[in-house]
Amino acid sequence: MAVLITGGTGYIGSHTVVEMLNNDYEVIIVDNLSNSKIDVLDKIYKITGKKVKFYQYDLCDETLVDKLFNENKIDAVIHFAGLKAVGESTMKPIEYYYNNILSTLNLIKVMKKNDVKKIIFSSSATVYGKQDKFPIEEGFKLNEPTNPYGKTKLYIENILKDLYKSDSSWDITLLRYFNPIGAHESGLIGEVPNGIPNNLMPYINQVATGKREKLFVFGNDYDTVDGTGVRDYIHVCDLAYGHLCALKHLKGLNIYNLGTGNGYSVLEIVKAYERVNNVKIKYEIAPRREGDIDTCYASPKKAEDEIGFKCTRDLDEMCRSSYNFEKKNNKL
């Protein structure tokens, strides 16, 4: 089975490519490299011993998407490609709406033309907006996301739902990720942000290795255990496994949370990281970041019951693998 993975050299994409190759799927990657590097392909080869076909295309160019499908027999698509930083999206909303939505429309338009009707979409817990009850279940009412990034995910979900409504011969799974952290056990692939990290763990990594003086913790007055934001952190390799489970059960229209069901605050993550890796993380409390919410953690029960998805890596492993990757790849 040939799977096209859009954004396949990115953080989650590359780990999913490894998962697919290790389970004998043929993989084709398309990525414009706006948030990743070409050397990830060599690292994927070192881990799996398998090479993948790669296209440096931008999905916002429909002509290139057409060319890609004309040159390959594709059976299913896992769609990661998109801009992904919550904070940045509040400052660059036009870029986020244009890139994320147009690229998806081009992709599914060309898929339809080529009669490729199987897609797994990389959605996000941000589609739930602010919730008052936890853990969050897939059937909860979706409140307006608090940032443009989340809104693009919600709009794309609605596009795909409408597509299925119009033609039920499609098989569509929407995977709502919570907060991926960690890295592959080899230390070869992990999260490498451009510039100042938008996500917590890469920032902690850079403080741990002396690249940055201190971590800025955005807000300590949330209604949580210690005043800092609480999130459901999931190991990226568990997340990648979730895509394998979804692909094996890709039938009809389905929505699944991919999370652990446990919520950890920012300071709890910092303390666990310090303990596991025997390092000290200097931090400073900063004002709240626009678009952030107090608490967000999942109920992963539906994914476990219906597609056999279960996390096997704990918070210690998330912290250990993150630091291992940073030490190996991002030297001072």
Side-chain angles (χ1 to χ4, degrees), residues 43-81:
K43 294 173 179 181
I44 288 170
Y45 177 71
K46 282 179 184 171
I47 294 168
T48 65
K50 296 175 183 177
K51 293 199 171 180
V52 298
K53 194 183 278 190
F54 173 75
Y55 290 82
Q56 188 178 342
Y57 287 174
D58 191 323
L59 297 180
C60 288
D61 186 333
E62 188 183 336
T63 307
L64 292 178
V65 184
D66 251 328
K67 187 172 186 290
L68 175 59
F69 275 78
N70 289 336
E71 291 180 3
N72 297 278
K73 170 70 177 77
I74 294 165
D75 299 300
V77 176
I78 301 177
H79 181 34
F80 293 105

Side-chain angles (χ1 to χ4, degrees), residues 218-287:
F218 297 107
N220 66 343
D221 57 350
Y222 287 108
D223 185 17
T224 62
V225 61
D226 56 22
T228 63
V230 167
R231 299 291 182 269
D232 186 336
Y233 294 93
I234 175 173
H235 196 291
V236 68
C237 291
D238 282 335
L239 190 65
Y241 172 66
H243 293 78
L244 177 67
C245 296
L247 188 60
K248 286 180 174 178
H249 296 84
L250 189 55
K251 189 71 178 167
L253 174 66
N254 291 287
I255 301 170
Y256 299 108
N257 289 335
L258 294 186
T260 64
N262 300 308
Y264 295 102
S265 75
V266 172
L267 291 183
E268 285 175 327
I269 295 290
V270 169
K271 287 169 187 170
Y273 190 101
E274 289 180 327
R275 174 178 53 77
V276 168
N277 298 311
N278 194 29
V279 293
K280 189 70 184 162
I281 304 299
K282 185 180 178 184
Y283 68 86
E284 178 181 307
I285 304 299

Side-chain angles (χ1 to χ4, degrees), residues 53-225:
K53 194 183 278 190
F54 173 75
Y55 290 82
Q56 188 178 342
Y57 287 174
D58 191 323
L59 297 180
C60 288
D61 186 333
E62 188 183 336
T63 307
L64 292 178
V65 184
D66 251 328
K67 187 172 186 290
L68 175 59
F69 275 78
N70 289 336
E71 291 180 3
N72 297 278
K73 170 70 177 77
I74 294 165
D75 299 300
V77 176
I78 301 177
H79 181 34
F80 293 105
L83 300 175
K84 63 174 189 173
V86 168
E88 183 184 63
S89 77
T90 64
M91 297 179 285
K92 297 180 175 180
I94 294 171
E95 290 88 340
Y96 271 71
Y97 288 123
Y98 178 86
N99 183 85
N100 293 5
I101 294 173
L102 179 61
S103 60
T104 304
L105 287 171
N106 284 343
L107 177 64
I108 57 178
K109 183 179 175 184
V110 174
M111 286 175 69
K112 183 179 180 181
K113 193 197 302 186
N114 289 271
D115 199 34
V116 179
K117 294 185 172 182
K118 296 180 181 294
I119 184 168
I120 295 169
F121 174 57
S122 158
S123 192
S124 164
T126 57
V127 301
Y128 290 111
K130 189 169 172 58
Q131 297 284 336
D132 298 318
K133 186 181 171 191
F134 301 95
I136 294 172
E137 297 173 6
E138 291 85 348
F140 280 17
K141 179 178 180 294
L142 302 183
N143 296 316
E144 181 79 354
T146 56
N147 55 77
Y149 162 75
K151 288 174 186 174
T152 67
K153 293 296 187 184
L154 180 58
Y155 298 160
I156 293 167
E157 281 201 10
N158 287 335
I159 289 166
L160 292 170
K161 287 174 186 175
D162 285 341
L163 176 61
Y164 182 78
K165 210 178 288 183
S166 72
D167 181 0
S168 61
S169 66
W170 281 78
D171 296 316
I172 299 170
T173 294
L174 311 175
L175 297 179
R176 293 173 179 164
Y177 308 160
F178 281 68
N179 290 65
I181 57 175
H184 190 268
E185 61 187 7
S186 65
L188 289 171
I189 55 173
E191 189 168 10
V192 186
N194 287 331
I196 299 173
N198 284 290
N199 296 331
L200 175 64
M201 192 56 82
Y203 214 120
I204 292 176
N205 280 339
Q206 291 188 8
V207 175
T209 53
K211 281 187 184 170
R212 298 195 182 274
E213 183 195 352
K214 58 191 168 186
L215 169 72
F216 290 97
V217 176
F218 297 107
N220 66 343
D221 57 350
Y222 287 108
D223 185 17
T224 62
V225 61

